[in-house]
Amino acid sequence: MGRRNSCTIYVGNLPGDIREREVEDLFYKYGRIVDIDLKIPPRPPGYAFVEFEDPRDADDAIYGRDGYDFDGYRLRVELAHGGRAQSYSYDRPSSFSNGRRGGVSRRSEFRVMVDGLPSSASWQDLKDHMRRAGDVCFSDVYREGGATVGVVDYTNYDDMKYAIRKLDDTEFRNAFSRAYIRVRQYDARSRSRSRSLSYSRSRSYSRSVSRSPLPVDERF
């Protein structure tokens, strides 16, 4: 198989109203994208060919997005022209995985809690947002007490502190909703004591910012 073929993936079972930018949003984190060829037939589902600069990025995209639920459509992702993804025997960090889909899940002590997430937030959405501050090695989203809460681990202390400083009180977005989030250092000892208080503060904060949204740092 030629290099171009090994860098190009087929993405099937796409919604009929999907846009090229949304396809890019699904795959940009795996590596530099050279080209996106989106095909929307008269009858859905649609499909696309996404070409990466590096064949290893194409493998990572297949590993991370095959079977992914996008707006109710379970994506089919594979190498174009019937190819199969290469073995993961090479030494490459799988930092895009949170451990749910297999592979090695890396955890660390450099952990932050994220409050105020919309109910539609996924761990992939959260990781995309939080990686703006540094190297994320784990993310998860869960429901607790009627709220949506996120946990994010960074690979080092500096990135964790930078995330608290730069991403606290920023606007989180995904394909379905947006909300202003609060980011703070994880404290396991006080977690159980502060659940009800932190969630009530998060809800009141969400109401206030909806009336007067704060500007988003365009550098992100």
Side-chain angles (χ1 to χ4, degrees):
M1 180 180 294
R3 178 178 173 82
R4 179 181 174 87
N5 288 346
S6 66
C7 292
T8 303
I9 61 173
Y10 165 83
V11 185
N13 204 33
L14 291 169
D17 59 351
I18 194 170
R19 295 171 295 177
E20 184 174 309
R21 181 54 191 266
E22 292 177 294
V23 177
E24 181 182 2
D25 288 344
L26 279 167
F27 292 101
Y28 80 94
K29 66 179 180 178
Y30 297 108
R32 181 176 176 181
I33 294 174
V34 176
D35 183 60
I36 296 175
D37 185 11
L38 177 61
K39 307 289 188 182
I40 303 296
R43 287 187 174 184
Y47 62 95
F49 295 97
V50 180
E51 182 183 355
F52 289 92
E53 190 173 75
D54 191 317
R56 295 176 300 174
D57 295 335
D59 280 350
D60 285 350
I62 294 168
Y63 184 71
R65 288 302 193 214
D66 186 36
Y68 177 72
D69 188 338
F70 180 78
D71 198 19
Y73 289 75
R74 186 167 296 278
L75 301 185
R76 176 186 171 191
V77 184
E78 60 188 32
L79 281 179
H81 306 293
R84 299 179 65 87
Q86 299 172 12
S87 167
Y88 284 84
S89 59
Y90 54 81
D91 184 18
R92 184 171 189 181
S94 296
S95 58
F96 57 82
S97 173
N98 80 331
R100 290 181 178 178
R101 294 181 57 81
V104 177
S105 172
R106 294 188 294 159
R107 301 300 304 268
S108 81
E109 60 184 307
F110 310 115
R111 184 171 304 162
V112 298
M113 294 295 302
V114 182
D115 293 311
L117 290 166
S119 60
S120 62
S122 68
W123 66 265
Q124 296 98 327
D125 297 329
L126 178 61
K127 189 165 192 176
D128 287 346
H129 185 84
M130 302 302 291
R131 68 198 291 266
R132 298 172 182 177
D135 187 13
V136 174
C137 60
F138 179 89
S139 66
D140 197 11
V141 171
Y142 58 94
R143 312 298 190 262
E144 188 174 78
T148 303
V149 183
V151 179
V152 178
D153 289 6
Y154 287 90
T155 60
N156 60 82
Y157 176 83
D158 289 341
D159 285 355
M160 178 193 72
K161 297 302 287 186
Y162 186 69
I164 295 170
R165 186 169 70 252
K166 297 298 292 185
L167 297 181
D168 182 39
D169 199 19
T170 57
E171 187 180 46
F172 171 94
R173 300 182 184 186
N174 63 12
F176 311 102
S177 54
R178 61 180 65 183
Y180 281 88
I181 59 173
R182 303 310 307 258
V183 181
R184 56 191 170 83
Q185 187 168 352
Y186 180 85
D187 184 353
R189 293 171 298 179
S190 63
R191 179 68 180 155
S192 59
R193 296 197 303 269
S194 62
R195 280 175 183 167
S196 60
L197 179 60
S198 64
Y199 291 142
S200 65
R201 285 178 177 172
S202 175
R203 288 193 291 270
S204 63
Y205 173 78
S206 299
R207 288 196 296 271
S208 65
V209 299
S210 64
R211 292 194 297 269
S212 180
L214 298 176
V216 178
D217 189 343
E218 294 299 332
R219 290 172 296 177
F220 294 147

